[in-house]
Amino acid sequence: MCGIVGYIGAEEAAPWLLYGLTKLEYRGYDSAGIAVFEGGNIRVAKAKGRLQNLVDLTHGGADFHGNLGIGHTRWATHGAPSDINSHPQTSELGKFAVVHNGIIENYLELREFLSQRGVSFVSETDTEVIAQLLEYYYTGNIFEAIGKTLARVTGSYALGILCRDDPNTLYAARKDNPLIIGVGQGENFIASDIPALLSKTREVIRLSDLEIARLRADSVEVFGLDFEPIKKKTEHITWDVSAAEKGGYPHFMFKEILEQPKAVADTISPRIRDGRIVLDELKFTREELVNLDRICILACGSAYHVGMIAKYIFEEMLRVPTEVTIASEFRYENPIVSDKTLAIIISQSGETLDTLEAMREAKRRGARTLSIVNVVGSAIALEADDVIYTWAGPEIAVATTKAYSTQLAVIDLLAIYFADLLGKLTPEEYAVLIAGLEALPGKIAEALEKKDAVQYIASQCFNAKNIFFIGRNLDYAMSLEGSLKLKEISYIHSEAYAAGELKHGTISLIEDGTLVVALSTYARLFEKMRNNILEVKTRGATVLGLFTKGGGAESSKADFALEIPQAPTMFLPSLAIIPLQLFAYYIAAMKGCDIDKPRNLAKSVTVE
Ligand code: F6R
């Protein structure tokens, strides 16, 4: 998703803008640009492709001389990636330059409105409409122009704005997309995310929806859309910049896979006190829980796969009907949601637009909303009735690993907590599950110890053209995530199937040498899975089986086998995901793929 930076201070702006953009590369982008106030004009440079192209074009920013500027990495939505469509976008007379993250939904209507009044457009972007509207409404008062422009646009935005008539001010505004202000000494900054700021300052202000910021070298002011000043809290960032850097590993993804024992421990341990789960952040009473007649889980991508696992676990342990719906579908359904529904919203970024809108829809229909989010202060976290943070730390690789695992950990915490509140667990069962939870980080570490075995198997499989993942129940939900991990970073075509569904069509695709990854960690269904493995082997498949230790690997007839530690059933997904992530990682590495930034993908999907 697009990344925004902005600088005002005493130093040359361009080199820092370029540096700041490198820290936002993880968001995914296809072009980049900067605009710097120089000699009474706003000077722009843009380049399609890698950020390095822009660095080369501007000689690392040395070509620019000015102390005020904005920069942008673009992930195309309206208009293909190109120099012209890159940001900053400028107005026709060059009075305004704008960088934008988000989507202006009514941009065609606004473009028509402006065209009829003689304004000419050069790009295909929705963002240009903002620059042009600013100029159209500008009669000497920049605030007035910003206010009138924002009143006309519908959609989402985080904006950085320069005006040629005001060489000492950087303007910013936000709605539904993140924007952070960095507060420095004699210099101030804006950025889409904190890692871009940390080399300069640890003092940040999070701009909220429908707020406008005015930054000068020595002041930061925030206003509402009514231009009344708003007092904002400055937050001190304690986590280290190295937490957001590769730390010696070849890829962020690998580093983040290895960080999972700690991330899961950080998420679980503060919430277990004296053998009991304490969720201070939840304001739930037992009565409120008893009154619920359904749980509906809303999420996208990997977070949706966490939701699928949650469905199995909640229905098994709570006996409350639980539905999991892809957020982008939920928005346009007529969902059965009422004030007896608990909507659980799962999102690493907390800014995924479809998920945010699905949550709003569930709220409108009366549901109580509980979000599971990694990014503190993100839109989903702020708008939900309750939020439980996953403490995974910043996740930089586009493909999620540690955030996924911490989401699973929160699902486990919630399931046990709710089951206990509902009186579904004996004290003995409760104690066993708490012990299981506490043991989880150690078992994840044990599963990671098998990485060399996974690497060897990956070396035998990385030329595969099609890979099928099969499993039943929890293992089916895991198959979906294993398959997604593989295809998104290695570009190998892969499908996940409920193992019992194979013979209803898919089995016709199995031929000599087709690789099938068969997940069979679920003891109750081992025999069924063994039959499915035989079915595909008979048709020529090569099978990589995933089992629990002592869980039948030898008798399965799989060509390759991997084992995970034994654990109570509800925790098995947290262990099974480890070899699947590693398998995807090693295959992608062997194929020389751009693992941390797979093509066409963005870390934070803030458009529909
Ligand atoms: C896949 C992946 C995506 C995200 C999805 C939701 O590896 O990372 O499928 O899970 O885009 O993102 P969040 O969790 O930020 O809402």
Side-chain angles (χ1 to χ4, degrees):
M1 205 52 40
C2 303
I4 288 177
V5 290
Y7 175 85
I8 181 156
E11 293 182 10
E12 294 285 4
W16 184 80
L17 294 174
L18 294 170
Y19 167 82
L21 290 177
T22 63
K23 296 291 165 194
L24 299 177
E25 278 185 283
Y26 71 87
R27 297 167 70 83
Y29 70 100
D30 48 51
S31 51
I34 56 171
V36 172
F37 218 104
E38 193 180 85
N41 273 313
I42 299 170
R43 194 174 148 211
V44 176
K46 311 191 218 184
K48 188 180 159 196
R50 285 292 191 216
L51 192 53
Q52 190 58 41
N53 301 346
L54 181 66
V55 173
D56 293 344
L57 184 73
T58 60
H59 298 99
D63 286 357
F64 281 74
H65 298 291
N67 315 115
L68 165 61
I70 48 181
H72 189 264
T73 43
R74 174 171 187 256
W75 189 72
T77 54
H78 295 74
S82 71
D83 289 357
I84 282 188
N85 287 336
S86 308
H87 302 198
Q89 288 290 320
T90 47
S91 55
E92 194 176 359
L93 305 177
K95 270 199 193 311
F96 287 90
V98 172
V99 285
H100 169 220
N101 173 23
I103 282 195
I104 304 305
E105 287 167 2
N106 60 340
Y107 85 105
L108 282 176
E109 179 195 309
L110 293 172
R111 207 176 152 110
E112 181 67 19
F113 167 83
L114 289 167
S115 301
Q116 280 169 0
R117 283 153 184 83
V119 176
S120 316
F121 285 80
V122 293
S123 81
E124 302 161 273
T125 64
D126 51 341
T127 304
E128 189 182 354
V129 157
I130 298 180
Q132 303 282 24
L133 272 179
L134 285 166
E135 191 166 87
Y136 176 76
Y137 285 125
Y138 179 64
T139 52
N141 181 336
I142 297 171
F143 256 5
E144 188 187 30
I146 294 178
K148 284 187 171 168
T149 299
L150 296 185
R152 289 293 311 260
V153 300
T154 55
S156 59
Y157 52 79
L159 293 170
I161 302 169
L162 298 183
C163 174
R164 197 171 61 193
D165 290 352
D166 192 352
N168 300 312
T169 312
L170 167 60
Y171 293 90
R174 112 157 225 172
K175 177 175 175 280
D176 292 339
N177 274 309
L179 199 66
I180 316 284
I181 296 169
V183 183
Q185 304 275 325
E187 53 184 3
N188 291 305
F189 311 82
I190 57 170
S192 299
D193 199 0
I194 290 168
L197 301 169
L198 287 182
S199 70
K200 287 288 196 178
T201 180
R202 293 184 163 273
E203 309 308 313
V204 305
I205 294 172
R206 294 174 195 272
L207 208 60
S208 303
D209 273 356
L210 304 179
E211 288 180 346
I212 303 171
R214 181 164 67 190
L215 282 76
R216 302 214 164 102
D218 51 6
S219 68
V220 172
E221 297 161 287
V222 177
F223 304 87
L225 283 189
D226 52 4
F227 307 120
E228 286 298 320
I230 295 175
K231 217 172 153 36
K232 299 285 288 183
K233 264 202 263 150
T234 304
E235 193 182 319
H236 181 73
I237 299 299
T238 50
W239 45 270
D240 203 85
V241 70
S242 68
E245 288 178 352
K246 268 187 238 172
Y249 293 108
H251 300 99
F252 279 114
M253 184 179 176
F254 192 56
K255 175 174 171 280
E256 287 163 5
I257 288 174
L258 298 183
E259 280 171 356
Q260 289 179 105
K262 179 171 184 311
V264 169
D266 288 349
T267 302
I268 291 174
S269 337
R271 291 164 171 141
I272 302 181
R273 285 181 226 145
D274 300 326
R276 297 209 60 83
I277 295 176
V278 183
L279 296 176
D280 289 328
E281 49 275 77
L282 271 195
K283 315 281 174 290
F284 256 76
T285 60
R286 186 179 176 280
E287 288 61 43
E288 283 173 293
L289 194 60
V290 169
N291 275 334
L292 294 175
D293 65 7
R294 72 172 62 207
I295 296 174
C296 103
I297 301 177
L298 305 172
C300 300
S302 294
Y304 167 75
H305 297 155
V306 171
M308 288 198 57
I309 290 166
K311 173 187 164 67
Y312 288 118
I313 294 178
F314 286 167
E315 291 196 335
E316 180 79 28
M317 291 178 65
L318 312 180
R319 306 306 294 155
V320 176
T322 304
E323 281 170 59
V324 46
T325 311
I326 294 171
S328 55
E329 289 294 306
F330 182 90
R331 291 177 67 177
Y332 302 109
E333 289 173 356
N334 186 5
I336 301 176
V337 169
S338 72
D339 58 0
K340 288 185 177 299
T341 305
L342 172 64
I344 299 183
I345 298 92
I346 309 175
S347 175
Q348 186 284 129
S349 61
E351 300 284 349
T352 302
L353 191 69
D354 281 322
T355 311
L356 177 62
E357 289 298 342
M359 177 177 81
R360 289 174 175 163
E361 184 60 37
K363 256 192 161 178
R364 271 194 286 275
R365 290 170 184 252
R368 176 163 186 150
T369 52
L370 160 59
S371 66
I372 300 173
V373 173
N374 194 42
V375 177
V376 176
S378 54
I380 292 173
L382 293 179
E383 285 188 31
D385 298 319
D386 297 284
V387 53
I388 302 189
Y389 285 113
T390 49
W391 298 119
E395 189 177 64
I396 306 296
V398 166
T400 184
T401 52
K402 61 177 180 168
Y404 172 91
S405 286
T406 54
Q407 288 164 354
L408 281 182
V410 171
I411 292 298
D412 293 336
L413 279 164
L414 274 178
I416 301 169
Y417 181 79
F418 285 160
D420 181 48
L421 270 188
L422 291 173
K424 304 269 183 197
L425 296 172
T426 64
E428 294 72 32
E429 285 166 337
Y430 187 80
V432 167
L433 292 178
I434 295 293
L437 256 183
E438 288 181 314
L440 200 51
K443 293 205 173 181
I444 294 174
E446 205 181 318
L448 282 166
E449 281 166 18
K450 293 279 175 62
K451 60 182 184 313
D452 293 349
V454 183
Q455 189 175 22
Y456 169 74
I457 295 171
S459 74
Q460 305 298 298
C461 307
F462 79 98
N463 280 323
K465 295 277 175 286
N466 291 299
I467 302 184
F468 292 87
F469 285 71
I470 59 172
R472 288 167 179 263
N473 197 277
L474 287 172
D475 281 331
Y476 168 52
M478 296 311 300
S479 300
L480 289 165
E481 178 61 7
S483 170
L484 174 61
K485 265 319 58 105
L486 179 86
K487 60 191 148 199
E488 66 182 331
I489 61 168
S490 75
Y491 315 143
I492 295 178
H493 172 249
S494 160
E495 304 275 354
Y497 277 90
E501 269 291 292
L502 275 187
K503 49 180 121 17
H504 299 286
T506 326
I507 206 155
S508 65
L509 293 169
I510 307 289
E511 53 188 14
D512 262 357
T514 305
L515 183 64
V516 175
V517 180
L519 278 70
S520 180
T521 69
Y522 199 32
R524 188 164 68 82
L525 296 168
F526 173 73
E527 288 303 331
K528 300 284 171 204
M529 277 307 296
R530 186 160 57 182
N531 290 342
N532 293 132
I533 291 174
L534 285 174
E535 260 167 24
V536 292
K537 274 193 72 80
T538 313
R539 282 143 183 103
T542 301
V543 174
L544 162 58
L546 183 64
F547 309 92
T548 51
K549 208 179 266 175
E554 303 75 26
S555 66
S556 71
K557 304 271 191 301
D559 301 276
F560 305 103
L562 286 166
E563 289 182 335
I564 56 169
Q566 279 285 1
T569 305
M570 70 183 291
F571 303 123
L572 289 174
S574 297
L575 305 175
I577 190 57
I578 302 297
L580 298 179
Q581 292 169 344
L582 287 167
F583 184 65
Y585 172 78
Y586 284 124
I587 288 199
M590 285 164 200
K591 291 188 72 194
C593 298
D594 192 354
I595 292 181
D596 286 335
K597 290 180 225 118
R599 67 186 178 213
N600 305 338
L601 284 177
K603 181 69 183 161
S604 175
V605 185
T606 52
V607 294
E608 208 180 322

